Amino acid sequence: MSLIGARVLRKEDPNLITGRGQFVDDITPAGTVVMAFVMSTEPHSRIVNIHSADALALPGVLAVWTAADIAELSTLGLPGLGRPLLATDVVRFVGEPVAVVVAETKYIAADAAQLVIVDYESMPAAPSITTALADGAPVLHSVLGGNTVFDQPFVDDLAADFAAAPHTASLHLVNNRCAAVPIEPNACLADWGPSGLTLWATFQAPHHLRNTVAAYFGIPQDTTRVITPDVGGGFGAKINFVPEYFLACALSRKLARPVKYTQTRSECQVLMYHGRAQEQDVDVAYDDDARLLALRVRVTQDQGAYPDPTGMGLPVLTTAMAAGCYKIPKVAISWRNVVTNTTPVAAYRGAGRPEASYLIERIVDLVADQSGIDPVEVRRRNFIPTDEFPYATHSPLAVYDSGNFAGAMTELLTLFDYDALKAEQARRRNTRDEKLIGIGFSSWLEIAAFGPPGSLEGFGHLGSWESVQIRVQPDGSAIIYTGASPHGQGTVTTFAQIAAGELGIPFDKISVRHGDTATVPQGIGTMGSRATAVGGEGVRTASVRVVERAKVIAAHILEADPADIVLEGDGFAVNGTPSHSVPWSEVAWKSFRPLEIPTDSEPGSLDITVFQQVPNFSFPSGAYCCTVEIDRGTGEIEITGMYLVDDCGTVINPLLAEGQVHGGVAQGIAQALYEGISYDENGLPQNSTLMDYLIPAATELPSYTDGRVNTPTPNNGLGAKGIGESGSVGAPPAVVNAVVDALSHLGVQHLDMPITPLAVWNVLEEAK
Amino acid sequence: MSTVSVSVTVNGELRTHEVEPRVLLVHYLRDVLRLTGTHVGCDTSNCGACTVILDGAAVKSCTVLAVQARGGEITTIEGLAAPGEPFSAVQQGFHQEHGLQCGFCTPGMIMACTALLGENPDPTEHEIRHALEGNLCRCTGYQMIVNSVRWAAEHPDGIVPESSDAASSAPSTQGAGS
Ligand code: FES
Ligand code: FES
């Protein structure tokens, strides 16, 4: 029975709700010692001296290492701009590890780290795009000459088109720097013994880490094992090669002890790579009917102190997706990557696409505002029609597979009474102190299902496929091994759902295993909303092949032609004669017994591995609306409605799909209203604990109203597009558009994220 | 460093250890008793991943020294359902209503929700959200956690009604495999 689309409860839950989950920090082999960092307190300084004698003398301390102790270990990241495992001569951001200590317990390690004294000679810092690009700015990496790592100019900046256009609109937008804040901070445990290296890590791509660590140390992959046990959230921030993995391994080799590193939250806030941190200059040209004629986007990406390969790709994705779900005759894109004295920047849920939906959805609202045409109507006039798919955009990366943008908007407007709310908004504006109402839309689109051949290789991955192995057990149950590496997505459940329908094996008799390079075939990992659309498709493909082979055995048992065998009940039957049947358990059992299968078959044939490829990206889309109320006295913003129409193609499990949307939307609302890593002008981070970095609690977030349209992708047999990042792509512009709409009668055309009550209050005060 | 003797009752069992006076209760539970279901998500007592029930009240075990818990009765996530017994209503509610994704915040959430229902067996959505203000979840966006608590309030014995539309027969007792 197909379980696709069924609200199936998760197989993952029983361990996790009983405290029987196993996260990295829960694992402590005999002899484990603890590693801690001495971290830079300076944004940009020369290291003059490191005094570690006192730390070394502390009972229970096994080692204190500085860069001088690991001179043979190479840097990470881009060649020539590599990040050393420990700062060498110069520190380039607050938090950069300067030394590492290892001790018998975490308390002693923390004490020892405190005892290491570093003498610095301060240099001027460039902690922002503006300061890094200023004349005479301090240079972070002398090989660059300045602070620009890469600059892709416009091919044609459309100056003539803009000059000739009846109307134009322009915005400078700041996509605030965000911290991913998985509730489990980074952690790893390295055990390098005589028989090989095992590294447990809270990571999204175990084989990627295994291959990288093996290459880094020049050791064989077969004796290098990476295990990603239960992983407490990742959101893109757990696919970066940060120094702790390599240091823990090197220290374990040196000390012949398992070495564990568990980050504190305050360390995590400055060490785990940040996301967003992107500025945009956006111009559109449009006609009298608010039809878009041209779009021009110049992106400046803050890379932090060391350019990360994934981080370098963020503006590529932003500019590829810049036109959103609109048909715009001319699009010009350009971007540059800039280093600053801040924590490095890389993927965070959405990775370049929230920035794209933000720019296009903000400027479409500005067109609505300037032209006096309703924002819903402006969108409708510019949507790509449903009969134009596949739709080639300005970017070769983005050939949209399918979509129904107008349909999503229509569905959205059934979820609440737009006209009544507009009337109430107008009424309240005429009162003295009733709360102001704002209504914000976002017709968003993103690129997912990474991906087609070549799409991940550019980020250093071995391939862009995903591995799936199905092994039918002798009792007729099945184990699926996959290179996808979930950390909350529910992949164990969705993959079992997909397999159950195809294999005819009950859901309860299918297990899914992942996260261990010693048992799972070479895989890629979970990021870029790919697990279902690529890995899930692999489950479907492998299941079909298993059934083909099982039919041969069933036919042998039933003395029939394999072509006449069909899945029936709990096993196989001869087509048209359901009583002439054999259960799966018998087929599975006999598949291992040479005397009971056809002579030209081999035992153990019900074991299939596929490396699933997909021909193109998929493009999940949707229409969101956020409604807010603003207190005119305090500037406080309350979200009163969050209406979410998603189109992820085929839904495997509506419960889990909604969970993904809610989580992404929560992070999107957080970016719009609450979160933002900031640095002062000297480069000191201003919010590196959860006391001053507001990740929203249940009281700060609304309940959500879910809706759906379905345009299956043609790129896989499931029709599934991916949904992991949708919410974080769609929500920020909806929320910002709502707040701006609430204040638009005061002449407000834009406010930067996070929009705080203070910013709103300032607007309200000025208007008095 | 000198140590002091700490005796506490944890999940019904009296435990006695010599610990340093500075050791936090959460580290005593995790590192000494090896009850690793209680998690650590921050160092500023904001996240609630470490929530346990101490003498009937939910506390963040990272804000309490082990010595301060001396003589106390502690329930951790491991003690909510005895081996072979059904899940507690709150545990079952989180399963039924998809109240968890990565599961890292979950033990703390479940303990906080258990304490809430002890005080207020039929909380409104508003009351649930306020009671959970000190527990952060990065995955769920909270609505399904709210639904989970409501499920538990409506099914105080934790038993899933026969008519449940859930297609799965996922195990509902401790010790069953998945
Ligand atoms: S670990 Fe105790 S509140 Fe975060
Ligand atoms: S389920 Fe992941 S933090 Fe709550």
Side-chain angles (χ1 to χ4, degrees), chain A residues 183 265 690, chain B residues 24 26 38-51 59-63 104 134-136:
Chain A
I183 300 298
R265 174 61 56 195
L690 292 189
Chain B
L24 298 173
V26 68
T38 303
H39 296 154
V40 179
C42 74
D43 46 6
T44 48
S45 51
N46 288 96
C47 77
C50 61
T51 306
V59 300
K60 294 182 173 179
S61 62
C62 73
T63 63
F104 197 80
N135 288 75
L136 299 177

Side-chain angles (χ1 to χ4, degrees), chain A residues 17 106 266 508 675 696 704, chain B residues 31 43 91 138 142-143 169:
Chain A
I17 59 177
K106 60 167 74 84
S266 307
D508 289 341
E675 295 184 20
Y704 315 101
Chain B
D31 298 342
D43 46 6
Q91 287 172 317
R138 194 56 154 171
Y142 301 106
Q143 182 163 320
S169 57

